[in-house]
Amino acid sequence: MPSLKTASPLESLRGASQRVRFDDNAACAILFGQHHVNLARIEQKLPVTIVSRGNEVFIQGESDDAVHTAAAVLEELYGKLRLGIAIGREEVDAALRMRIPDGTTEERFEDFAIRTERKVIVPRSANQLAYLRALERFELVFALGPAGTGKTYLAVAVAVSFLRQRRAERLVLSRPAVEAGERLGFLPGDMKEKVDPYLRPLYDALYDMLPEGKVQSRIESGQIEIAPLAFMRGRTLSNAFIILDEAQNTTPAQMKMFLTRLGDGSRMVVAGDPTQTDLPPGTPSGLADAVARLRGIPGIGIVHFDRGDIVRHPLVTEIIEAYEGRNENPTGSEGGARRPQRTPSGDDGRRR
């Protein structure tokens, strides 16, 4: 890891300063980013100025906390480079999110790095870190939160790791095939072809972590099973890692059926966004019902994500805020788009 020293060309300026030296000059070029874009990103998020000279950076800031946080972020990103993780804006933002005000983390990200055959996956927010801890500790975990927070992706990564370590004999991935605007009966093909589009996100996550040939061979051998929720009825799943995605689209009866599939030596993850249900109007969600019933039972973990944990494109956070924060009809009387009403302060009336 890099060594930190207090002497720097900036120390004559007012405020706090710190120097960070790295061992690998080639890695520094990647760490800093093209035209130092990664350093500029840190400057945007923290009240600091960063100057690079060769394999050193000099950090000047308004406070010790800001300077130490920037130095810790650079250390973490350098460590990720040494693990083979590509560094871009998403990783810079993730490293910043993982820091608490005094510039340290509750846990080191290296302790929770998940190594798959195609990449190394690390948590990108404090809630993602808490999620990985829960997946390791509890036999049943509920993950609730908006799209893009890594609920299913991280669960699949942990499941693949369990398979590699022989801590699980098979991986079972499931989703409810809820009709959201299209009727299954009107879709082309046989039953498999009808339900596969509902399961595609699960395939995508697997292909991101395993070579395509290995995914197919493990599916054919039964070590990995991807199936609609209806196919779980009447089964007991032992020595397996079981994941239910889009769980908000289950009814309470379906959720009870799924949860009671848990067998000896198995772990189960139930992931969903309670605010995005495709169930018929008036039908209660099995996810919300289960969390209310099971909260507080030993051996069950519940992790809540929020908009700050979204790790997709930055616009996804803005889109979710726009939909959740605007209750009025967004269209005019003639069906056209209505311009946001301007407030005296000049913004569009939404909190950010």
Side-chain angles (χ1 to χ4, degrees), residues 63-105:
S63 66
D64 286 334
D65 283 349
V67 169
H68 293 331
T69 297
V73 166
L74 287 168
E75 278 193 305
E76 178 171 325
L77 294 172
Y78 184 76
K80 288 184 176 182
L81 274 173
R82 302 300 288 264
L83 287 174
I85 299 173
I87 299 299
R89 184 176 66 177
E90 289 184 353
E91 292 299 334
V92 175
D93 288 348
L96 287 163
R97 282 196 300 268
M98 291 292 289
R99 297 290 149 180
I100 58 178
D102 65 358
T104 62
T105 56

Tab-separated table of all heavy atoms in Angstrom, residues 63-105:
chain	number	residue	atom	x	y	z
A	63	SER	N	-9.843	21.186	5.661
A	63	SER	CA	-9.807	20.528	6.971
A	63	SER	C	-9.009	19.240	6.883
A	63	SER	O	-8.805	18.685	5.797
A	63	SER	CB	-11.225	20.214	7.452
A	63	SER	OG	-11.822	19.238	6.614
A	64	ASP	N	-8.574	18.756	8.047
A	64	ASP	CA	-7.875	17.479	8.093
A	64	ASP	C	-8.770	16.345	7.607
A	64	ASP	O	-8.307	15.434	6.910
A	64	ASP	CB	-7.415	17.179	9.529
A	64	ASP	CG	-6.228	18.031	9.943
A	64	ASP	OD1	-5.471	18.461	9.054
A	64	ASP	OD2	-6.082	18.266	11.154
A	65	ASP	N	-10.063	16.385	7.982
A	65	ASP	CA	-10.979	15.315	7.585
A	65	ASP	C	-11.068	15.192	6.071
A	65	ASP	O	-11.004	14.088	5.513
A	65	ASP	CB	-12.381	15.570	8.159
A	65	ASP	CG	-12.477	15.225	9.638
A	65	ASP	OD1	-11.528	14.590	10.150
A	65	ASP	OD2	-13.489	15.582	10.263
A	66	ALA	N	-11.219	16.320	5.393
A	66	ALA	CA	-11.341	16.296	3.934
A	66	ALA	C	-10.069	15.762	3.288
A	66	ALA	O	-10.112	14.942	2.358
A	66	ALA	CB	-11.667	17.692	3.405
A	67	VAL	N	-8.915	16.225	3.782
A	67	VAL	CA	-7.636	15.791	3.214
A	67	VAL	C	-7.408	14.302	3.462
A	67	VAL	O	-7.014	13.551	2.557
A	67	VAL	CB	-6.480	16.627	3.805
A	67	VAL	CG1	-5.132	16.023	3.428
A	67	VAL	CG2	-6.571	18.060	3.304
A	68	HIS	N	-7.666	13.842	4.684
A	68	HIS	CA	-7.458	12.431	5.005
A	68	HIS	C	-8.431	11.553	4.229
A	68	HIS	O	-8.077	10.433	3.827
A	68	HIS	CB	-7.615	12.201	6.504
A	68	HIS	CG	-6.550	12.841	7.331
A	68	HIS	ND1	-5.265	13.067	6.864
A	68	HIS	CD2	-6.570	13.335	8.607
A	68	HIS	CE1	-4.544	13.639	7.803
A	68	HIS	NE2	-5.317	13.824	8.886
A	69	THR	N	-9.651	12.042	4.019
A	69	THR	CA	-10.620	11.271	3.230
A	69	THR	C	-10.140	11.124	1.794
A	69	THR	O	-10.190	10.037	1.211
A	69	THR	CB	-12.002	11.939	3.259
A	69	THR	OG1	-12.487	11.956	4.596
A	69	THR	CG2	-12.994	11.175	2.377
A	70	ALA	N	-9.663	12.213	1.194
A	70	ALA	CA	-9.151	12.141	-0.181
A	70	ALA	C	-7.969	11.179	-0.266
A	70	ALA	O	-7.868	10.379	-1.213
A	70	ALA	CB	-8.741	13.534	-0.655
A	71	ALA	N	-7.070	11.236	0.721
A	71	ALA	CA	-5.922	10.327	0.717
A	71	ALA	C	-6.372	8.880	0.855
A	71	ALA	O	-5.853	7.985	0.166
A	71	ALA	CB	-4.967	10.699	1.859
A	72	ALA	N	-7.346	8.631	1.727
A	72	ALA	CA	-7.839	7.268	1.921
A	72	ALA	C	-8.525	6.742	0.672
A	72	ALA	O	-8.402	5.567	0.330
A	72	ALA	CB	-8.801	7.234	3.112
A	73	VAL	N	-9.257	7.613	-0.037
A	73	VAL	CA	-9.895	7.210	-1.288
A	73	VAL	C	-8.849	6.809	-2.314
A	73	VAL	O	-8.974	5.783	-3.006
A	73	VAL	CB	-10.796	8.345	-1.826
A	73	VAL	CG1	-11.188	8.090	-3.281
A	73	VAL	CG2	-12.047	8.486	-0.964
A	74	LEU	N	-7.789	7.598	-2.447
A	74	LEU	CA	-6.728	7.262	-3.393
A	74	LEU	C	-6.042	5.950	-3.011
A	74	LEU	O	-5.712	5.135	-3.875
A	74	LEU	CB	-5.709	8.401	-3.456
A	74	LEU	CG	-6.183	9.665	-4.187
A	74	LEU	CD1	-5.233	10.820	-3.942
A	74	LEU	CD2	-6.319	9.390	-5.684
A	75	GLU	N	-5.819	5.729	-1.722
A	75	GLU	CA	-5.245	4.463	-1.275
A	75	GLU	C	-6.141	3.286	-1.670
A	75	GLU	O	-5.659	2.251	-2.139
A	75	GLU	CB	-5.080	4.475	0.247
A	75	GLU	CG	-3.851	5.155	0.759
A	75	GLU	CD	-3.639	4.830	2.230
A	75	GLU	OE1	-4.559	5.052	3.036
A	75	GLU	OE2	-2.552	4.327	2.551
A	76	GLU	N	-7.442	3.461	-1.441
A	76	GLU	CA	-8.364	2.366	-1.756
A	76	GLU	C	-8.383	2.076	-3.249
A	76	GLU	O	-8.364	0.917	-3.678
A	76	GLU	CB	-9.770	2.705	-1.266
A	76	GLU	CG	-10.792	1.624	-1.601
A	76	GLU	CD	-12.128	1.864	-0.929
A	76	GLU	OE1	-12.143	2.376	0.203
A	76	GLU	OE2	-13.149	1.531	-1.549
A	77	LEU	N	-8.432	3.116	-4.070
A	77	LEU	CA	-8.450	2.923	-5.514
A	77	LEU	C	-7.161	2.260	-5.996
A	77	LEU	O	-7.180	1.409	-6.892
A	77	LEU	CB	-8.660	4.264	-6.221
A	77	LEU	CG	-10.025	4.924	-5.988
A	77	LEU	CD1	-10.034	6.335	-6.570
A	77	LEU	CD2	-11.141	4.076	-6.593
A	78	TYR	N	-6.035	2.635	-5.399
A	78	TYR	CA	-4.759	2.011	-5.750
A	78	TYR	C	-4.791	0.522	-5.380
A	78	TYR	O	-4.310	-0.327	-6.139
A	78	TYR	CB	-3.629	2.732	-5.014
A	78	TYR	CG	-2.244	2.252	-5.371
A	78	TYR	CD1	-1.645	2.623	-6.571
A	78	TYR	CD2	-1.522	1.437	-4.495
A	78	TYR	CE1	-0.360	2.189	-6.883
A	78	TYR	CE2	-0.246	1.007	-4.799
A	78	TYR	CZ	0.335	1.390	-5.990
A	78	TYR	OH	1.598	0.956	-6.305
A	79	GLY	N	-5.352	0.215	-4.220
A	79	GLY	CA	-5.489	-1.190	-3.827
A	79	GLY	C	-6.363	-1.973	-4.784
A	79	GLY	O	-6.084	-3.143	-5.081
A	80	LYS	N	-7.423	-1.338	-5.282
A	80	LYS	CA	-8.285	-2.022	-6.250
A	80	LYS	C	-7.543	-2.293	-7.545
A	80	LYS	O	-7.704	-3.362	-8.167
A	80	LYS	CB	-9.542	-1.183	-6.516
A	80	LYS	CG	-10.527	-1.152	-5.359
A	80	LYS	CD	-11.787	-0.392	-5.718
A	80	LYS	CE	-12.800	-0.448	-4.583
A	80	LYS	NZ	-14.064	0.244	-4.908
A	81	LEU	N	-6.725	-1.341	-7.963
A	81	LEU	CA	-5.909	-1.567	-9.162
A	81	LEU	C	-5.014	-2.784	-8.987
A	81	LEU	O	-4.846	-3.583	-9.909
A	81	LEU	CB	-5.057	-0.333	-9.455
A	81	LEU	CG	-5.683	0.793	-10.276
A	81	LEU	CD1	-4.750	1.992	-10.307
A	81	LEU	CD2	-6.000	0.313	-11.683
A	82	ARG	N	-4.433	-2.942	-7.815
A	82	ARG	CA	-3.553	-4.077	-7.559
A	82	ARG	C	-4.319	-5.397	-7.555
A	82	ARG	O	-3.735	-6.463	-7.745
A	82	ARG	CB	-2.818	-3.890	-6.220
A	82	ARG	CG	-2.004	-2.606	-6.157
A	82	ARG	CD	-0.925	-2.534	-7.225
A	82	ARG	NE	0.166	-3.445	-6.969
A	82	ARG	CZ	1.288	-3.089	-6.355
A	82	ARG	NH1	1.454	-1.833	-5.941
A	82	ARG	NH2	2.238	-3.974	-6.159
A	83	LEU	N	-5.646	-5.325	-7.322
A	83	LEU	CA	-6.486	-6.523	-7.399
A	83	LEU	C	-6.956	-6.814	-8.824
A	83	LEU	O	-7.609	-7.826	-9.071
A	83	LEU	CB	-7.712	-6.365	-6.492
A	83	LEU	CG	-7.485	-6.465	-4.983
A	83	LEU	CD1	-8.768	-6.140	-4.239
A	83	LEU	CD2	-6.993	-7.860	-4.598
A	84	GLY	N	-6.649	-5.907	-9.750
A	84	GLY	CA	-7.074	-6.099	-11.136
A	84	GLY	C	-8.405	-5.468	-11.469
A	84	GLY	O	-8.997	-5.768	-12.505
A	85	ILE	N	-8.899	-4.574	-10.611
A	85	ILE	CA	-10.175	-3.914	-10.847
A	85	ILE	C	-9.944	-2.641	-11.639
A	85	ILE	O	-9.105	-1.813	-11.275
A	85	ILE	CB	-10.873	-3.590	-9.511
A	85	ILE	CG1	-11.142	-4.876	-8.730
A	85	ILE	CG2	-12.172	-2.833	-9.739
A	85	ILE	CD1	-11.666	-4.649	-7.334
A	86	ALA	N	-10.688	-2.461	-12.724
A	86	ALA	CA	-10.565	-1.253	-13.534
A	86	ALA	C	-11.088	-0.055	-12.734
A	86	ALA	O	-12.073	-0.158	-12.009
A	86	ALA	CB	-11.336	-1.402	-14.839
A	87	ILE	N	-10.428	1.084	-12.891
A	87	ILE	CA	-10.803	2.280	-12.159
A	87	ILE	C	-11.426	3.288	-13.121
A	87	ILE	O	-10.827	3.679	-14.114
A	87	ILE	CB	-9.578	2.912	-11.460
A	87	ILE	CG1	-8.975	1.930	-10.458
A	87	ILE	CG2	-9.965	4.210	-10.769
A	87	ILE	CD1	-9.922	1.520	-9.357
A	88	GLY	N	-12.642	3.701	-12.810
A	88	GLY	CA	-13.340	4.728	-13.562
A	88	GLY	C	-14.169	5.566	-12.606
A	88	GLY	O	-14.025	5.475	-11.388
A	89	ARG	N	-15.068	6.364	-13.166
A	89	ARG	CA	-15.864	7.256	-12.318
A	89	ARG	C	-16.695	6.491	-11.311
A	89	ARG	O	-16.831	6.910	-10.155
A	89	ARG	CB	-16.789	8.122	-13.185
A	89	ARG	CG	-17.568	9.152	-12.356
A	89	ARG	CD	-18.394	10.056	-13.217
A	89	ARG	NE	-19.465	9.350	-13.893
A	89	ARG	CZ	-20.375	9.935	-14.660
A	89	ARG	NH1	-20.310	11.242	-14.870
A	89	ARG	NH2	-21.330	9.230	-15.252
A	90	GLU	N	-17.249	5.340	-11.715
A	90	GLU	CA	-18.080	4.568	-10.794
A	90	GLU	C	-17.272	4.105	-9.586
A	90	GLU	O	-17.759	4.147	-8.449
A	90	GLU	CB	-18.698	3.373	-11.510
A	90	GLU	CG	-19.782	3.744	-12.507
A	90	GLU	CD	-20.435	2.521	-13.116
A	90	GLU	OE1	-19.952	1.395	-12.850
A	90	GLU	OE2	-21.417	2.679	-13.844
A	91	GLU	N	-16.038	3.651	-9.823
A	91	GLU	CA	-15.215	3.189	-8.711
A	91	GLU	C	-14.782	4.353	-7.821
A	91	GLU	O	-14.686	4.205	-6.597
A	91	GLU	CB	-13.982	2.438	-9.237
A	91	GLU	CG	-14.294	1.113	-9.898
A	91	GLU	CD	-14.963	0.129	-8.939
A	91	GLU	OE1	-14.746	0.243	-7.723
A	91	GLU	OE2	-15.705	-0.740	-9.412
A	92	VAL	N	-14.518	5.507	-8.420
A	92	VAL	CA	-14.164	6.676	-7.619
A	92	VAL	C	-15.339	7.064	-6.724
A	92	VAL	O	-15.184	7.291	-5.517
A	92	VAL	CB	-13.758	7.860	-8.520
A	92	VAL	CG1	-13.512	9.117	-7.686
A	92	VAL	CG2	-12.503	7.516	-9.316
A	93	ASP	N	-16.541	7.132	-7.306
A	93	ASP	CA	-17.725	7.477	-6.515
A	93	ASP	C	-17.977	6.443	-5.427
A	93	ASP	O	-18.378	6.788	-4.308
A	93	ASP	CB	-18.954	7.584	-7.426
A	93	ASP	CG	-18.913	8.822	-8.302
A	93	ASP	OD1	-18.066	9.703	-8.054
A	93	ASP	OD2	-19.730	8.910	-9.238
A	94	ALA	N	-17.754	5.170	-5.751
A	94	ALA	CA	-17.969	4.114	-4.760
A	94	ALA	C	-17.001	4.266	-3.593
A	94	ALA	O	-17.383	4.137	-2.423
A	94	ALA	CB	-17.794	2.743	-5.411
A	95	ALA	N	-15.740	4.556	-3.889
A	95	ALA	CA	-14.755	4.735	-2.824
A	95	ALA	C	-15.116	5.918	-1.937
A	95	ALA	O	-14.945	5.879	-0.713
A	95	ALA	CB	-13.361	4.922	-3.422
A	96	LEU	N	-15.646	6.972	-2.537
A	96	LEU	CA	-16.069	8.133	-1.754
A	96	LEU	C	-17.267	7.792	-0.869
A	96	LEU	O	-17.339	8.217	0.287
A	96	LEU	CB	-16.417	9.289	-2.691
A	96	LEU	CG	-15.223	9.979	-3.363
A	96	LEU	CD1	-15.674	10.796	-4.560
A	96	LEU	CD2	-14.490	10.870	-2.367
A	97	ARG	N	-18.207	7.009	-1.411
A	97	ARG	CA	-19.391	6.622	-0.619
A	97	ARG	C	-19.011	5.756	0.568
A	97	ARG	O	-19.684	5.755	1.597
A	97	ARG	CB	-20.393	5.854	-1.490
A	97	ARG	CG	-21.230	6.725	-2.399
A	97	ARG	CD	-22.428	5.933	-2.913
A	97	ARG	NE	-22.017	4.759	-3.655
A	97	ARG	CZ	-21.836	4.714	-4.962
A	97	ARG	NH1	-22.014	5.803	-5.689
A	97	ARG	NH2	-21.465	3.593	-5.564
A	98	MET	N	-17.949	4.970	0.422
A	98	MET	CA	-17.574	4.028	1.468
A	98	MET	C	-16.908	4.712	2.662
A	98	MET	O	-16.687	4.095	3.695
A	98	MET	CB	-16.624	2.973	0.912
A	98	MET	CG	-17.266	2.018	-0.079
A	98	MET	SD	-18.456	0.941	0.708
A	98	MET	CE	-17.355	-0.116	1.636
A	99	ARG	N	-16.586	5.992	2.526
A	99	ARG	CA	-15.869	6.678	3.594
A	99	ARG	C	-16.831	7.322	4.583
A	99	ARG	O	-17.860	7.858	4.194
A	99	ARG	CB	-14.961	7.763	3.007
A	99	ARG	CG	-13.880	7.192	2.118
A	99	ARG	CD	-12.841	6.432	2.928
A	99	ARG	NE	-12.283	5.333	2.139
A	99	ARG	CZ	-11.362	4.508	2.588
A	99	ARG	NH1	-10.889	4.643	3.807
A	99	ARG	NH2	-10.920	3.528	1.833
A	100	ILE	N	-16.491	7.268	5.863
A	100	ILE	CA	-17.267	7.972	6.874
A	100	ILE	C	-16.539	9.267	7.197
A	100	ILE	O	-15.386	9.452	6.781
A	100	ILE	CB	-17.478	7.100	8.129
A	100	ILE	CG1	-16.125	6.670	8.727
A	100	ILE	CG2	-18.306	5.889	7.825
A	100	ILE	CD1	-16.257	5.846	9.993
A	101	PRO	N	-17.154	10.222	7.919
A	101	PRO	CA	-16.587	11.569	8.013
A	101	PRO	C	-15.144	11.665	8.453
A	101	PRO	O	-14.441	12.590	8.060
A	101	PRO	CB	-17.519	12.257	9.029
A	101	PRO	CG	-18.831	11.581	8.826
A	101	PRO	CD	-18.478	10.140	8.535
A	102	ASP	N	-14.643	10.743	9.293
A	102	ASP	CA	-13.263	10.881	9.752
A	102	ASP	C	-12.250	10.306	8.772
A	102	ASP	O	-11.063	10.251	9.053
A	102	ASP	CB	-13.080	10.241	11.132
A	102	ASP	CG	-13.281	8.730	11.109
A	102	ASP	OD1	-13.591	8.193	10.037
A	102	ASP	OD2	-13.120	8.105	12.164
A	103	GLY	N	-12.737	9.880	7.583
A	103	GLY	CA	-11.821	9.424	6.552
A	103	GLY	C	-11.442	7.974	6.659
A	103	GLY	O	-10.525	7.527	5.993
A	104	THR	N	-12.132	7.187	7.492
A	104	THR	CA	-11.846	5.763	7.605
A	104	THR	C	-13.082	4.987	7.207
A	104	THR	O	-14.145	5.539	6.992
A	104	THR	CB	-11.457	5.383	9.042
A	104	THR	OG1	-12.569	5.676	9.910
A	104	THR	CG2	-10.256	6.181	9.504
A	105	THR	N	-12.960	3.681	7.093
A	105	THR	CA	-14.108	2.841	6.797
A	105	THR	C	-14.359	1.915	7.960
A	105	THR	O	-13.466	1.572	8.723
A	105	THR	CB	-13.869	1.986	5.525
A	105	THR	OG1	-12.682	1.225	5.727
A	105	THR	CG2	-13.723	2.854	4.305
